[in-house]
Amino acid sequence: MVSFIQRLPPAFTTFIGVQGGTAQFATQMLAFGYTHPIIIISLAFLQVSIPARYITGEIELKTFDILLTKPLKRFIIPSSIFTFLIIALGLQFIAIFLGTIAGDLYFDLQINIADYGKAVFVGFVFFLSMGSMAMAICTFQIEKGKALSKTIGLIVALYFFDTIIKLSKSLDHLYAYSYFQLYQPGKLVQNQVDASLCVLISLVLTGLFLMVAILQFNKRDL
Amino acid sequence: MSTISKKEYRVEPIIQVSHLTKYFGKSIGIEDINLEIHKGEIFGFLGPNGAGKSTTIRLMLNLMRPSFGSVKIFNRNVQKHYDKIFNTIGNVPGELRLYEELTGYNFLNYMNKFSHQEPKWQKELINAFHLSHADLNKKIKHYSHGMKQKLGIIQALQDDPELIIMDEPSEGLDPINKNVLYDYLQKFKASGKTIFFSSHYLTEVEKICDRVGLVKNGKLITKETIPSLKEKMIRRLEVTFTQPVLADDFDIQSTDIVEQDSHRLVFNVRGNINLLLKQIAKYDVKNLVFPEPSLEDTFMTFYEKQ
């Protein structure tokens, strides 16, 4: 496996955050699991699809015409959907973390579980900010399809931007502007990035977009 | 002896709509609608499709924000106090969409939870609309349009609301269930409830409402009591006689002959029809057709006046 990784182009190994032959190979491989495209897609899909279905989808279906003529404050709708996101995302990350612990015990990797806990928490807050962003976009839309395509489009564009920065050394100066730099499990478990800063920025983004979502949902026509 | 304040003497309207206007970009949704609906009345909101009935109702229910104007329900601004006001409102939306994955019972009980009280009318309405136990245990996605409409009506009425707002509630109901709906609305009215009822059928508005507002192209053309509406409305009467008749014999006030041949006359009658009927009775009548007045004719009556 190590020799296979060593044969890959350097740009690619930099991109996946795994360099063969180093002492941290096992740690890096485990961390790569956290950023594997399948994991990213499944985590992001939930954050995008829940607001699209339960905000824009309900607006499109006109089911709010009955629900919001009951004695219910409007902000409860986006707030409860956000709570739903927290629970769903929390369960996903708990499952990922349990998988890491199980892997560590089974293969006796002797990794520092606390570092992975840190990566899990950073990931949780990062994807929550993504969900909050998706919620804000969905409150401006009236069709679920458009809400989904705009949110997915934005996330893909941000991911693409991050990939280009990772692959091109001449674009290193743009590193600080990449959204996906807030979630770098490979670097987090090796203490190469400041986890608290990632959490702080993700929380600020979450709060900001959640506020936009609540304000827009409160004032919009249904 | 306790004193009664001036406020208690004054009867405030249940719904107060002032200069309500909604623009959708450059197009007009509704413009300068003014209405006052009083306690215990059934107010019919009559207009063709796309006239602005649903937009007015959505603005009244805070589902849309007005471009100008305001709506007060129970003397409280709807935009500010909707969550308190809606405790006493039952609503049947125009495009009724329910939670398809819930069963009928689950849906009714879920809607009832918001009122924090027992659903006073639920059982009676379920029986009246002939919804069986088996029907209500099925998922809503398996319901017909009529059954969904019944469920929508039951959820609106089950908690004994003070104000009932209905946007074309009889759509999709068969004549028997339409009559059940009309009977219950009369029952609610008799117990002092206020009802705002939108429709594009003149006959049902005539049948159950005390007053009617005619809306077309986003504007409120007139507000009339039902007797006054009937008085002003033009109705068509087509009579075929067994022998030839002279049109001059039917020169009656508020009656115009719009078509004629030797045995047949078609009249447009405004208001009282008795004088014409007495005149017709002098002849041997072969056939008499008195169709329901069309909504378009009714609107024309008021457009001509304007």
Side-chain angles (χ1 to χ4, degrees):
Chain A
M1 188 67 184
V2 173
S3 61
F4 171 71
I5 293 289
Q6 280 173 334
R7 281 178 200 175
L8 292 171
F12 187 78
T13 51
T14 310
F15 173 62
I16 63 172
V18 180
Q19 284 85 39
T22 64
Q24 289 88 25
F25 180 73
T27 307
Q28 287 173 349
M29 277 307 285
L30 265 180
F32 171 59
Y34 283 61
T35 51
H36 191 283
I38 297 290
I39 296 292
I40 297 277
I41 288 168
S42 73
L43 288 167
F45 179 74
L46 200 73
Q47 300 308 299
V48 171
S49 62
I50 290 175
R53 166 65 185 86
Y54 294 104
I55 295 182
T56 321
E58 298 285 314
I59 292 169
E60 190 177 5
L61 285 172
K62 293 195 177 294
T63 39
F64 283 140
D65 284 18
I66 288 185
L67 191 64
L68 286 176
T69 54
K70 299 290 171 194
L72 190 71
K73 287 266 188 198
R74 265 204 195 190
F75 76 85
I76 288 174
I77 302 290
S79 308
S80 52
I81 291 164
F82 186 69
T83 311
F84 184 15
L85 284 182
I86 291 175
I87 295 168
L89 199 57
L91 289 173
Q92 275 188 312
F93 270 104
I94 286 170
I96 291 171
F97 193 47
L98 289 177
T100 305
I101 293 170
D104 179 41
L105 293 174
Y106 189 77
F107 294 108
D108 193 24
L109 297 171
Q110 294 181 342
I111 55 168
N112 185 354
I113 285 295
D115 285 340
Y116 282 87
K118 197 166 61 182
V120 161
F121 186 68
V122 170
F124 172 75
V125 183
F126 171 77
F127 280 97
L128 203 57
S129 76
M130 191 184 282
S132 171
M133 202 187 296
M135 267 182 66
I137 293 170
C138 289
T139 53
F140 283 89
Q141 305 301 315
I142 52 168
E143 287 169 41
K144 190 172 86 175
K146 278 189 183 172
L148 271 173
S149 59
K150 284 183 182 176
T151 319
I152 292 170
L154 176 70
I155 291 166
V156 169
L158 291 171
Y159 191 73
F160 188 64
F161 180 66
D162 186 67
T163 308
I164 289 175
I165 290 168
K166 272 183 186 163
L167 296 178
S168 167
K169 283 195 175 171
S170 61
L171 294 173
D172 265 358
H173 60 285
L174 293 175
Y175 175 87
Y177 302 103
S178 172
Y179 176 61
F180 275 86
Q181 291 299 328
L182 297 174
Y183 180 57
Q184 297 294 325
K187 290 180 180 171
L188 277 165
V189 295
Q190 294 174 82
N191 294 311
Q192 289 173 0
V193 287
D194 184 357
S196 58
L197 186 66
C198 294
V199 169
L200 182 70
I201 296 172
S202 293
L203 282 177
V204 168
L205 289 174
T206 304
L208 184 74
F209 285 112
L210 181 64
M211 207 163 65
V212 170
I214 289 173
L215 290 175
Q216 170 61 13
F217 191 78
N218 258 347
K219 75 179 182 81
R220 70 160 296 158
D221 289 345
L222 295 171
Chain B
M1 198 175 123
S2 67
T3 55
I4 300 169
S5 70
K6 275 184 184 175
K7 201 176 175 182
E8 281 174 282
Y9 273 122
R10 209 174 64 211
V11 180
E12 295 285 354
I14 299 291
I15 303 176
Q16 249 179 310
V17 176
S18 311
H19 306 291
L20 196 64
T21 302
K22 179 71 180 176
Y23 297 123
F24 297 107
K26 283 180 183 171
S27 66
I28 298 169
I30 56 163
E31 199 166 47
D32 201 27
I33 301 250
N34 292 287
L35 283 173
E36 281 193 352
I37 321 291
H38 295 274
K39 187 172 167 59
E41 96 172 310
I42 304 184
F43 186 87
F45 203 49
L46 189 64
N49 290 329
K53 302 187 297 292
S54 296
T55 302
T56 308
I57 288 176
R58 295 177 76 77
L59 287 162
M60 282 164 60
L61 291 169
N62 196 44
L63 293 168
M64 279 184 177
R65 304 295 157 118
S67 305
F68 301 106
S70 65
V71 180
K72 279 185 177 179
I73 294 181
F74 300 118
N75 210 24
R76 283 173 145 181
N77 188 305
V78 170
Q79 266 183 270
K80 288 179 187 162
H81 305 287
Y82 63 91
D83 56 314
K84 293 179 184 85
I85 297 167
F86 290 168
N87 204 21
T88 49
I89 294 180
N91 161 44
V92 180
E95 285 177 67
L96 183 67
R97 299 293 174 88
L98 310 173
Y99 295 101
E100 304 272 310
E101 290 300 320
L102 294 180
T103 66
Y105 273 132
N106 286 343
F107 174 73
L108 290 178
N109 293 334
Y110 176 51
M111 289 297 136
N112 165 253
K113 274 185 186 165
F114 293 98
S115 72
H116 305 290
Q117 62 184 40
E118 283 297 302
K120 186 179 170 185
W121 294 92
Q122 193 189 80
K123 275 185 190 166
E124 193 177 325
L125 286 162
I126 286 170
N127 291 333
F129 281 109
H130 303 105
L131 284 173
S132 68
H133 188 65
D135 289 335
L136 291 164
N137 277 317
K138 277 197 293 194
K139 282 189 176 179
I140 293 173
K141 66 181 172 189
H142 300 302
Y143 280 26
S144 68
H145 178 52
M147 281 168 77
K148 285 180 187 171
Q149 196 67 17
K150 289 179 197 177
L151 208 60
I153 292 168
I154 295 171
Q155 69 78 29
L157 303 180
Q158 65 178 353
D159 299 319
D160 199 30
E162 285 302 312
L163 170 64
I164 300 156
I165 297 178
M166 301 180 134
D167 191 359
E168 302 186 358
S170 61
E171 282 294 312
L173 294 182
D174 58 45
I176 295 167
N177 284 303
K178 275 185 188 179
N179 283 327
V180 172
L181 171 67
Y182 302 152
D183 289 347
Y184 271 93
L185 292 183
Q186 293 295 350
K187 204 181 258 189
F188 274 79
K189 183 201 160 184
S191 62
K193 315 294 183 194
T194 310
I195 298 155
F196 188 93
F197 183 97
S198 109
S199 175
H200 56 255
Y201 298 114
L202 184 61
T203 42
E204 74 175 358
V205 168
E206 265 186 344
K207 198 170 179 177
I208 60 164
C209 297
D210 303 305
R211 276 198 309 145
V212 59
L214 297 185
V215 63
K216 193 173 183 186
N217 297 332
K219 287 178 182 159
L220 189 66
I221 294 163
T222 188
K223 287 171 278 184
E224 301 283 343
T225 60
I226 293 296
S228 157
L229 181 78
K230 283 181 176 168
E231 187 76 20
K232 290 170 185 169
M233 214 160 55
I234 295 171
R235 306 195 87 149
R236 184 168 285 239
L237 178 65
E238 186 183 326
V239 192
T240 309
F241 300 94
T242 53
Q243 73 269 41
V245 287
L246 291 171
D248 292 346
D249 291 346
F250 295 89
D251 186 14
I252 299 163
Q253 199 186 357
S254 304
T255 304
D256 300 318
I257 296 170
V258 288
E259 278 178 45
Q260 67 176 93
D261 53 43
S262 62
H263 288 71
R264 181 177 152 273
L265 293 172
V266 180
F267 303 95
N268 265 358
V269 191
R270 191 192 299 268
N272 195 334
I273 201 165
N274 287 331
L275 283 174
L276 177 63
L277 289 178
K278 278 177 189 166
Q279 192 62 22
I280 292 168
K282 290 177 184 171
Y283 297 86
D284 197 12
V285 176
K286 190 178 173 186
N287 192 21
L288 190 143
V289 181
F290 192 37
E292 291 292 341
S294 75
L295 197 55
E296 204 50 43
D297 287 344
T298 312
F299 279 110
M300 285 316 294
T301 309
F302 292 97
Y303 273 132
E304 279 167 16
K305 274 174 69 184
Q306 282 183 340

